[in-house]
Amino acid sequence: MSRRWIQNPNRCSDEYLDGIEDFIEFARRQNPGATRIRCPCRKCNNTLWETIENVGFHLVRNGMIETYSIWNLHGEQLDHASSSNATRMDSVEPIVDHNDQVMDIIEDVFPFASTNINNEREDDVPTPIDSAEFEQYEKLLKNANQELYPGCETFSVLTAIVELMHEKIKYRMSNLCFDYFLGVFKRMLPMDNCLPKDHKQAQKVLNGLGLGYEKIHACKNNCMLFYKEHETLDTFLICNESRFKMTSQNRTTKIPQKVMSYLPLKPRLQRLYMSTHTATDMRWHKEKWVDDDVMRHPADGEAWKEFDRTFPEFAADPRNVRLGLATDGFNPYGFLNQHHSTWPIFVFPYNLPPWKCMKKEYMMMTVLIIEDPGRSIDVYLRPLVDELKDLWTNGVCTYDKSTGKMFTLRAAVMWTVNDFPAYAMVSGWSTKGYMACPVCKEDVTSGWHAGKVCYLGHRRWLPWDHEWREKDKEFDGNTERRLRPREWSGDEIVEQLNRLDFAPFGKTVNRTRASTHMNWTHKPMFFELPYWSKLKLRHNLDVMHVEKNVFDTLVGTILDIEGKTKAQSKPVLIWKEWAYEGDYG
């Protein structure tokens, strides 16, 4: 029986799915009556026992171990030679030189340093070497060749730092705890060791690998950033507040009022092409995608196909990155501080296959805001939008490990994914009040009832000949003859926003909106991206809030579940169909 399907990277192919069925049938036959078997997926690694049904699900989601071609742990018999060979191979621990691994990482980050790769682009233009980049390379190379202490042959300074930082992240160690153990290790080693004394010094060494971040001072009223042309100012232009806190005159360093953390996007997109496997997977959406009218990946959606038709030059190179952007607030302190919320902004690449593109390993945090920014989120998005504009217009020179060549990497944000309140922040259309629907806009049907705004008129979205359109007593007493609201194009939205005069950002600014503004609160910064107004789908509501929260509310009210019903003092808030469709305006 051929088992080449195990190596097939496309887990949605018929070959792979048929192979899983053959394996499940083999396991049932070899283990009659068994309800649980070892799971050979890459995550369980034949060490965990699962039900046979769950094993099949794991193999589709995680893939089978590529080297598990002889199913001896599931009843397959081995001849003596192969059995002894397998035992011998399993008993030998692979010899891993951590110093060589670190040198490989440096060569991946700085491809010009390797003498055996093609240092030219695909258009035969020599790759420029930045002096600052070369200086970082020399510092890393020095740390990679420097012994941790005189006579140490196992670890270099860089290898030790990489190993320790890896364990810190793996076991979720705090900076304070890491500093303590780093001090203990430093005292254990010989006196003339070169191990950093704390996390801050270790982080400085790793900054050359592209693992650093920028601290940008922000206004405590969210009106502006000290960024680019405003970087040298000491007071805010809008609210005239001081940039720094009032401290003792004896203090040598000034403390900013608020700090935003920004993690540059370009080096992390480049890192996706530093591994051969990842670089190959980044072309999956073009080279291994199957068009069979089944929705498995965003590439199957009409919004993706419309983007390809609108921007054929961008779509011509499958290595160009399609990104999604998501944000939401959470309270990292639990019940200790009920009023605080932290807002991270993530991007994630959709080029990867569906079983990878939403994994946490590939989600990239770009901005970290230490409080709820409200509509002023555009203030904090400025560095990210500037970088996205440059990635679309100029791109960034990137080394592709799978081909051994340099190419110009471009990137585009396809849409955002948020809950309904965050939807208002990033789209600029308030999701409160009588015109809360961002699709219907001013043509929404709403009214005040029992202390709450209710949204009706949902039958407008039904087919013209639907029987519910003729029913009146079952609904609001009227038959429904209206068409569904018209869809606004991106160019029409931009034209409308350009006619409106919005107040500056910030907490101290009067938020009263003129009636001509309808529910617009601000012009979203994403419209500065050259392609944003051409997108068919700009904003999505996330599945968790729509499927779980709304479903819990409806079921709790219908079944009158104590503590989960909305019918005790107020009527049920009826959600429109656009809550499941996203914003097509």
Side-chain angles (χ1 to χ4, degrees):
M1 180 189 302
S2 174
R3 293 175 182 170
R4 290 181 300 177
W5 61 271
I6 299 176
Q7 309 292 332
N8 190 344
N10 184 6
R11 290 178 229 154
C12 298
S13 65
D14 293 338
E15 179 192 18
Y16 191 86
L17 296 177
D18 292 342
I20 291 177
E21 290 183 3
D22 292 340
F23 172 77
I24 295 298
E25 183 181 352
F26 174 84
R28 290 183 188 275
R29 189 170 57 249
Q30 296 294 325
N31 303 271
T35 58
R36 291 179 174 270
I37 60 173
R38 292 178 183 268
C39 180
C41 75
R42 295 176 184 175
K43 189 173 182 179
C44 297
N45 199 30
N46 271 327
T47 58
L48 300 180
W49 293 72
E50 295 284 349
T51 63
I52 295 179
E53 291 76 12
N54 282 347
V55 168
F57 175 74
H58 281 202
L59 292 177
V60 174
R61 185 180 64 181
N62 305 323
M64 182 178 279
I65 304 170
E66 295 182 357
T67 57
Y68 191 53
S69 57
I70 301 175
W71 300 334
N72 57 301
L73 297 179
H74 293 82
E76 185 171 7
Q77 299 297 323
L78 302 176
D79 55 40
H80 178 73
S82 62
S83 177
S84 60
N85 185 45
T87 304
R88 185 168 58 253
M89 290 180 62
D90 291 341
S91 63
V92 177
E93 288 288 337
I95 301 176
V96 178
D97 191 333
H98 299 289
N99 293 319
D100 289 343
Q101 286 184 332
V102 170
M103 289 302 299
D104 291 340
I105 294 174
I106 295 177
E107 290 182 2
D108 287 341
V109 177
F110 304 98
F112 60 79
S114 180
T115 57
N116 60 352
I117 66 171
N118 183 6
N119 284 332
E120 295 185 355
R121 300 174 188 245
E122 295 177 350
D123 52 4
D124 296 330
V125 178
T127 305
I129 301 177
D130 184 73
S131 58
E133 188 179 8
F134 191 76
E135 183 179 352
Q136 287 181 345
Y137 166 71
E138 286 187 321
K139 288 181 180 178
L140 287 171
L141 193 62
K142 178 181 177 181
N143 289 319
N145 293 326
Q146 183 180 8
E147 295 177 343
L148 184 60
Y149 56 87
C152 178
E153 299 179 357
T154 308
F155 286 95
S156 66
V157 174
L158 186 59
T159 306
I161 294 174
V162 170
E163 285 287 317
L164 291 171
M165 292 292 282
H166 175 72
E167 299 305 317
K168 175 186 183 297
I169 297 172
K170 183 177 179 180
Y171 296 107
R172 302 177 182 179
M173 195 182 301
S174 67
N175 290 351
L176 188 63
C177 179
F178 184 77
D179 288 346
Y180 172 76
F181 281 106
L182 205 60
V184 172
F185 295 152
K186 190 171 181 64
R187 294 195 300 271
M188 288 179 177
L189 296 174
M191 292 293 295
D192 50 355
N193 70 82
C194 301
L195 189 69
K197 64 178 182 180
D198 55 24
H199 174 263
K200 188 174 182 179
Q201 285 193 359
Q203 190 68 38
K204 287 182 179 179
V205 176
L206 296 182
N207 281 345
L209 293 174
L211 302 178
Y213 63 95
E214 302 174 13
K215 290 184 177 180
I216 302 176
H217 296 178
C219 173
K220 69 176 184 179
N221 295 319
N222 298 334
C223 63
M224 61 171 285
L225 295 178
F226 288 99
Y227 173 70
K228 286 191 173 179
E229 66 273 13
H230 300 144
E231 189 174 0
T232 58
L233 298 178
D234 287 332
T235 57
F236 300 101
L237 299 178
I238 298 175
C239 62
N240 294 322
E241 289 283 347
S242 174
R243 176 176 182 172
F244 302 98
K245 296 179 180 179
M246 297 295 294
T247 57
S248 172
Q249 295 181 354
N250 297 329
R251 189 180 180 92
T252 56
T253 59
K254 298 180 179 180
I255 303 176
Q257 298 274 14
K258 186 186 296 184
V259 178
M260 180 197 79
S261 299
Y262 179 66
L263 295 84
L265 183 59
K266 290 178 182 177
R268 290 190 285 172
L269 293 181
Q270 290 175 308
R271 194 173 294 116
L272 291 172
Y273 288 92
M274 292 179 183
S275 168
T276 304
H277 300 291
T278 312
T280 303
D281 285 339
M282 288 295 289
R283 301 192 299 269
W284 183 94
H285 69 100
K286 185 76 171 181
E287 297 177 354
K288 298 181 181 180
W289 170 73
V290 180
D291 188 7
D292 56 358
D293 294 329
V294 178
M295 188 70 181
R296 303 189 185 93
H297 188 271
D300 297 306
E302 183 58 32
W304 187 292
K305 298 174 182 178
E306 179 68 21
F307 184 87
D308 287 351
R309 290 191 291 265
T310 308
F311 304 102
E313 183 183 354
F314 182 91
D317 191 346
R319 295 173 297 188
N320 290 332
V321 184
R322 325 283 186 109
L323 298 171
L325 184 145
T327 183
D328 198 4
F330 73 100
N331 185 354
Y333 302 109
F335 294 102
L336 298 179
N337 188 339
Q338 294 289 336
H339 302 289
H340 177 81
S341 64
T342 297
W343 286 72
I345 298 177
F346 292 91
V347 298
F348 33 91
Y350 284 124
N351 295 43
L352 297 168
W355 53 88
K356 283 188 177 181
C357 64
M358 297 304 294
K359 293 287 186 181
K360 65 178 181 179
E361 292 84 356
Y362 301 101
M363 292 185 180
M364 309 171 191
M365 186 173 70
T366 57
V367 178
L368 184 62
I369 310 171
I370 59 174
E371 73 170 10
D372 184 358
R375 76 182 190 101
S376 300
I377 191 172
D378 278 19
V379 172
Y380 297 95
L381 284 171
R382 168 54 62 192
L384 177 60
V385 171
D386 286 348
E387 192 170 14
L388 288 171
K389 287 194 291 187
D390 187 58
L391 279 169
W392 174 263
T393 306
N394 303 317
V396 58
C397 185
T398 303
Y399 174 65
D400 187 348
K401 185 80 170 182
S402 62
T403 61
K405 295 181 179 181
M406 306 293 291
F407 74 101
T408 300
L409 171 68
R410 298 173 63 195
V413 175
M414 301 291 291
W415 47 67
T416 69
V417 183
N418 309 102
D419 63 358
F420 209 43
Y423 184 114
M425 295 164 57
V426 298
S427 69
W429 183 273
S430 175
T431 54
K432 299 178 181 179
Y434 289 97
M435 291 187 289
C437 176
V439 176
C440 298
K441 292 186 167 57
E442 76 280 3
D443 198 17
V444 67
T445 303
S446 59
W448 184 262
H449 180 70
K452 178 172 287 190
V453 178
C454 297
Y455 306 92
L456 306 173
H458 306 87
R459 289 177 292 164
R460 299 177 62 185
W461 298 82
L462 296 173
W464 182 252
D465 57 349
H466 199 283
E467 61 178 346
W468 284 7
R469 281 181 170 268
E470 301 297 327
K471 295 182 178 182
D472 49 7
K473 295 181 180 180
E474 290 83 350
F475 294 95
D476 58 358
N478 300 311
T479 58
E480 184 59 77
R481 298 294 184 182
R482 295 175 300 171
L483 297 174
R484 62 185 295 176
R486 75 179 184 93
E487 297 180 4
W488 288 66
S489 68
D491 293 333
E492 289 175 326
I493 293 177
V494 173
E495 183 180 355
Q496 185 185 53
L497 289 170
N498 289 337
R499 294 197 303 263
L500 303 178
D501 184 21
F502 295 104
F505 293 112
K507 298 178 183 179
T508 60
V509 177
N510 185 9
R511 299 186 180 183
T512 303
R513 288 198 308 269
S515 59
T516 55
H517 287 52
M518 296 181 289
N519 255 34
W520 290 113
T521 60
H522 65 282
K523 182 180 179 181
M525 188 169 292
F526 289 112
F527 279 108
E528 295 184 12
L529 301 174
Y531 52 86
W532 191 252
S533 62
K534 309 298 181 184
L535 297 179
K536 185 177 181 66
L537 177 65
R538 282 179 288 278
H539 305 288
N540 296 273
L541 294 178
D542 66 88
V543 176
M544 186 271 288
H545 285 84
V546 173
E547 289 192 354
K548 182 182 184 300
N549 296 7
V550 177
F551 177 81
D552 285 350
T553 299
L554 292 176
V555 173
T557 302
I558 294 171
L559 300 181
D560 195 22
I561 301 175
E562 184 179 357
K564 295 186 178 182
T565 177
K566 299 293 184 180
Q568 294 174 354
S569 58
K570 296 182 180 180
V572 180
L573 177 63
I574 302 176
W575 291 79
K576 296 179 65 64
E577 287 188 19
W578 48 259
Y580 300 90
E581 295 180 3
D583 176 14
Y584 286 87

